[in-house]
């Protein structure tokens, strides 16, 4: 395991990434992001973007790593969950490389990969993951052979929620960083629904409430951004804390683009300090969608389960985290 060189491919959504790792050391982590000036992600357009950039990203990643294609021992690609159109591009890219180089291939679940990279980088054995990204919002932890989802959004992902709110405010995409900047200037906590249902959160109703408040012009952008962060992040941290209490686990790691938010990091860290458990937040390049986490998880899977044949290298846009049997833990 120590010396194996793995090439990872990420393509579940807006990011096309290629990473090279040696053992668990990340040698390169290249990526290109699909962006728009106006409007959101149209799957066919994002897939075209990935096709356009894939050769460049591969070349850059190999150059940065100082590795030649012939040195690669294993190819890992994100096989679930995600946008079908874009998953397929990464899968085809990985299959071509595997067959051309005659190297083994493994498929990786993207959500689990966010947890594994936090685990490997931190050295924590068994953390709970608060995964807060555009489309996904889940609290994930290992129990009895699987990664279980202890809590999640019942409707939209936290990042998509923040982006929709930002769009209503006319802030453009992606809205998260802009909302964070404005929130720093907010002072007044505006009353918003606090929507935790059991172990899950619901964000759609808060968005409707916010739209009405924006239309009313009674509230400043700064106060709305501040209040959104305070209330919605508190909901996520509450559910994470209850997952900690339920499982008895002694550490929490963050993952996903929304976890780049310093207030979410602070609130999660404070909760961990109060409970006297460990907290780890990966650096930004490993929080957002990245191929290094796919390579790392691919290596773990390969060492325990071996590879898959090209014929069996399916993608599954809807596969859930808790459907996957984990043999390496
Ligand atoms: P991902 O899907 O994991 O790539 O994350 C993308 C999401 O993260 C988008 O919805 C962004 O608006 C959001 N995001 C990025 N940076 C921040 C931030 N500083 N605060 C809140 N959300 C953020
Ligand atoms: Mg992600």
């Amino acid at each position: 395991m120590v010396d194996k060189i793995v090439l990872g491919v990420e393509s579940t959504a807006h990011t096309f990434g290629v990473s090279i790792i040696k053992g668990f050391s990340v040698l390169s982590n290249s990526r290109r992001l699909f962006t728009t000036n106006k409007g959101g992600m149209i799957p066919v357009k994002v897939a075209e973007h990935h096709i356009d950039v894939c050769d460049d990203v591969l070349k850059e990643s190999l150059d940065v790593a100082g590795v030649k294609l012939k040195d690669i021992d294993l190819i890992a690609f994100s096989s679930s969950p995600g946008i079908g159109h874009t998953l397929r591009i990464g899968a085809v890219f990985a299959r071509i490389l595997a067959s051309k180089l005659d190297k083994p291939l493994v498929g990786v679940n993207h959500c689990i990969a966010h947890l594994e990279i936090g685990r490997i980088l931190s050295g924590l054995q068994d953390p709970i993951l608060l995964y807060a990204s555009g489309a996904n919002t889940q609290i994930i932890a290992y129990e009895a052979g699987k990664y279980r989802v202890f809590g999640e959004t019942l409707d939209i992902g936290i990042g998509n929620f923040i982006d929709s709110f930002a769009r209503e405010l006319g802030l453009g995409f992606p809205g998260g960083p802009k909302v964070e900047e404005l929130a720093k200037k907010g002072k007044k906590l505006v009353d918003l629904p606090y929507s935790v249902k059991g172990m899950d959160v619901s964000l759609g109703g808060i968005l409707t409430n916010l739209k009405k408040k924006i239309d009313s012009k009674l509230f400043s952008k700064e106060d709305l951004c501040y209040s959104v962060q305070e209330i919605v992040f508190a909901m996520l941290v509450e559910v994470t804390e209850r997952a900690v209490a339920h499982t008895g686990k002694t550490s929490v790691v963050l993952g996903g683009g929304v976890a780049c938010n310093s207030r979410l990091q602070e609130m999660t860290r404070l909760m961990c300090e109060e409970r006297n458990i460990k907290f780890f937040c990966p650096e930004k390049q490993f929080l957002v969608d990245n191929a290094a986490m796919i390579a790392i998880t691919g290596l773990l899977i390969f060492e325990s389960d071996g590879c898959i044949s090209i014929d069996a290298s399916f993608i599954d846009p809807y596969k859930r985290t808790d459907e996957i049997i984990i043999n390496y833990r």
Side-chain angles (χ1 to χ4, degrees), residues 162-163 174-182:
I162 293 175
D163 291 336
K178 291 165 185 155
V179 168
E180 178 170 14
E181 275 317 299
L182 285 173

Side-chain angles (χ1 to χ4, degrees), residues 10 12-15 33 41 110 114 131-136 157-164 166 172-181 229 233 255-265 284 287-290 293:
E10 160 60 27
T12 53
H14 44 52
T15 298
L33 191 66
M41 282 197 279
H110 177 95
H114 273 289
Y131 176 31
S133 77
N136 297 296
I158 177 79
N160 290 351
F161 162 83
I162 293 175
D163 291 336
S164 303
F173 176 86
K178 291 165 185 155
V179 168
E180 178 170 14
E181 275 317 299
Q229 288 198 171
F233 293 164
V258 180
C260 296
N261 186 289
S262 49
R263 182 62 180 141
L264 179 58
Q265 293 175 8
K284 186 174 170 191
L287 275 176
V288 298
D289 287 354
N290 66 90
M293 67 182 191

Side-chain angles (χ1 to χ4, degrees), residues 3-7 20-23 27 67 71-74:
D3 292 312
K4 225 160 239 146
I5 298 182
V6 187
L7 183 148
I20 316 282
I21 62 169
K22 184 172 187 181
L27 304 182
V67 164
D71 302 327
I72 306 287
D73 298 308
L74 172 68

Side-chain angles (χ1 to χ4, degrees), residues 11 25 64 82-83 87 111 120 156 235 251 268 303 316:
S11 75
S25 303
V64 172
I83 303 170
L87 278 171
C111 306
I120 295 296
I156 46 176
M235 288 162 44
S251 57
T268 315
E303 291 296 324
D316 188 341

